[in-house]
Amino acid sequence: MVNSLATPEPQTLKPGVKAPVQETLLTPRFYTTDFDAVANLDISANETEIRAIVEELRADYNRHHFVRDEEFKQSWDHVTGEKRRAFIDFLERSCTSEFSGFLLFKELSRRIKSRNPLLAEAFEFMARDEARHAGFLNKSMSDLNLSLDLNYLTKNRTYTFFPPEWVIYTVYLSEKIGYWRYILVHQHMQEHPEYQFYPLFRKFESWCQDENRHGDFFKALLRSQPKLWKNWQARLWVRFFLLTVFATHTMTVFERASFYESIGIHPRKYNNRVIQETNNTSARAFPVILNTNHPLFFWRLEQCSENNLKLVAINNSKLPKFVKFFQRIPPATAIFWNMLRLYLIKPIDTEATRATVL
């Protein structure tokens, strides 16, 4: 067992429609970017690899995979209590994340179609995949008598601007960490089918292959832009994005540990494995990766998580706002300090071993 929070009861906008969770640093975000800059990207340095991946996306290997078969067509009222609440929370966060990707990719495809047709086509295919995932997750939520109003989300969520360089870094990492999240759950369910309480888990193997292809596309796009990996500034940014993604993942897993425990997964072991595998995979794209074998690496990530749980408890308390403000200072400072110490751990140079990791 690890420290976690009880999942709150779902709130509704209207009967059967779930109110979106409050936006925080850990909730999936909606993004926009500089579309003109993306349209003007020169991908000639790696165009052959990009075209090969676009061909894979065009093939749409999973077009017949996401079908709700007879196993879905039953009552799920026997899934109750914390298990039900945690599963709904997992479905919502996953659906919101996939839908966020759909919106970004769809807009990218639309905005750059006339100026960069190859990239536009890739974004269109990835938008197709993300929409399929989001729709399947939302339909699964409806089996539990709730669903998200995706049109409402589109109009009411805050959109965060990221320059194209940040989009490439973060989407690459989100797709690759998504792959490892899903494939490890799939492997666990293969070994322990007694925990497969809902048929969605059977879809994870093919699902994560979509995530993997999307990540491969962004890896190829990243390597086509030397400024994203071939200078000292890129090395600093890579360390920053790796660290923020891994810290966010740790906080999210520990905050929602009850879901993983409900399917027989140890949250700490799962989190550490996801991070280690994602970090190792990132060696194929990034000039440096983090030293996850450092004796204090995961300990400091967990310190960030513990202090995040303190912040959540403070925010959920009924104390006056000015009291909350001062109470938040120590845990927020502790998170910043541990993140800084993690950032300063000497990274691993992957360019020096490029021939062995490609």
Side-chain angles (χ1 to χ4, degrees):
M1 296 286 288
V2 300
N3 292 331
S4 64
L5 298 174
T7 310
E9 286 289 344
Q11 302 299 307
T12 58
L13 293 173
K14 57 185 179 181
V17 178
K18 190 181 183 304
V21 294
Q22 182 180 358
E23 291 184 56
T24 68
L25 289 175
L26 299 186
T27 52
R29 307 186 72 80
F30 285 20
Y31 295 98
T32 186
T33 191
D34 184 338
F35 300 103
D36 289 332
V38 176
N40 292 328
L41 287 176
D42 178 6
I43 60 173
S44 58
N46 209 21
E47 186 172 345
T48 300
E49 183 178 357
I50 290 173
R51 287 190 178 276
I53 296 169
V54 172
E55 283 299 316
E56 283 195 29
L57 292 168
R58 183 182 292 112
D60 193 10
Y61 297 114
N62 284 335
R63 61 187 177 279
H64 301 307
H65 181 73
F66 294 100
V67 176
R68 287 173 57 85
D69 54 28
E70 290 299 318
E71 193 175 358
F72 286 88
K73 299 174 184 178
Q74 58 177 290
S75 170
W76 299 99
D77 291 343
H78 60 279
V79 182
T80 60
E82 174 63 19
K83 186 176 185 178
R84 185 184 186 92
R85 293 191 297 270
F87 187 44
I88 289 172
D89 181 77
F90 168 80
L91 291 172
E92 177 182 5
R93 288 168 184 265
S94 299
C95 179
T96 303
S97 178
E98 300 286 348
F99 188 64
S100 167
F102 159 73
L103 291 176
L104 176 61
F105 296 155
K106 191 67 177 178
E107 192 66 7
L108 277 164
S109 177
R110 186 180 71 84
R111 294 283 197 97
I112 72 174
K113 191 170 186 177
S114 62
R115 290 180 288 171
N116 202 325
L118 179 60
L119 290 188
E121 188 177 20
F123 289 126
E124 181 180 3
F125 292 144
M126 290 189 291
R128 172 204 65 203
D129 295 342
E130 302 288 278
R132 185 182 288 156
H133 298 168
F136 204 84
L137 287 160
N138 208 19
K139 189 64 176 176
S140 294
M141 279 187 67
S142 71
D143 287 341
L144 303 175
N145 305 317
L146 286 173
S147 63
L148 290 174
D149 184 340
L150 299 180
N151 187 52
Y152 176 89
L153 281 180
T154 304
K155 296 177 180 178
N156 290 277
R157 285 296 290 262
T158 301
Y159 286 74
T160 302
F161 177 85
F162 266 20
E165 296 82 3
W166 293 11
V167 169
I168 293 171
Y169 286 140
T170 56
V171 176
Y172 169 76
L173 281 171
S174 69
E175 298 289 354
K176 287 300 184 180
I177 203 169
Y179 167 80
W180 284 109
R181 283 168 54 84
Y182 286 124
I183 198 64
L184 290 178
V185 172
H186 166 74
Q187 291 171 356
H188 169 76
M189 291 297 183
Q190 292 293 103
E191 296 171 4
H192 301 281
E194 67 273 17
Y195 287 109
Q196 190 166 279
F197 66 85
Y198 184 78
L200 174 70
F201 299 115
R202 289 191 293 100
K203 305 292 183 180
F204 277 9
E205 183 179 22
S206 292
W207 191 313
C208 70
Q209 297 306 327
D210 283 343
E211 307 287 328
N212 206 30
R213 274 187 287 272
H214 296 183
D216 287 345
F217 168 79
F218 276 93
K219 175 256 183 181
L221 183 59
L222 186 152
R223 297 301 293 189
S224 76
Q225 308 298 306
K227 66 179 180 180
L228 295 183
W229 59 272
K230 208 173 183 180
N231 54 58
W232 65 268
Q233 297 98 324
R235 289 170 174 258
L236 296 179
W237 279 118
V238 162
R239 290 164 66 184
F240 172 79
F241 283 110
L242 281 166
L243 180 56
T244 53
V245 167
F246 293 163
T248 300
H249 187 265
T250 302
M251 293 178 194
T252 302
V253 168
F254 278 59
E255 191 175 296
R256 300 303 183 208
S258 62
F259 167 71
Y260 297 99
E261 290 167 349
S262 74
I263 57 175
I265 288 178
H266 191 288
R268 176 179 291 110
K269 293 178 181 178
Y270 173 74
N271 178 67
N272 292 5
R273 177 80 185 281
V274 168
I275 288 174
Q276 286 173 325
E277 297 290 0
T278 305
N279 191 57
N280 292 340
T281 300
S282 297
R284 301 170 185 170
F286 293 157
V288 294
I289 56 174
L290 302 185
N291 181 9
T292 58
N293 292 322
H294 189 282
L296 294 180
F297 184 85
F298 285 108
W299 182 85
R300 290 200 179 279
L301 281 182
E302 288 196 28
Q303 291 303 300
C304 292
S305 177
E306 288 294 319
N307 282 283
N308 172 64
L309 293 176
K310 293 177 184 178
L311 287 174
V312 174
I314 293 168
N315 291 336
N316 292 339
S317 71
K318 297 181 179 180
L319 294 170
K321 288 185 177 181
F322 76 93
V323 175
K324 289 184 180 182
F325 173 81
F326 287 105
Q327 285 188 336
R328 282 193 289 259
I329 293 175
T333 302
I335 291 173
F336 174 80
W337 175 245
N338 280 288
M339 290 282 284
L340 178 61
R341 294 295 299 272
L342 283 164
Y343 187 82
L344 294 176
I345 293 174
K346 184 179 179 180
I348 297 170
D349 186 347
T350 60
E351 290 302 314
T353 56
R354 178 63 50 197
T356 65
V357 297
L358 284 177

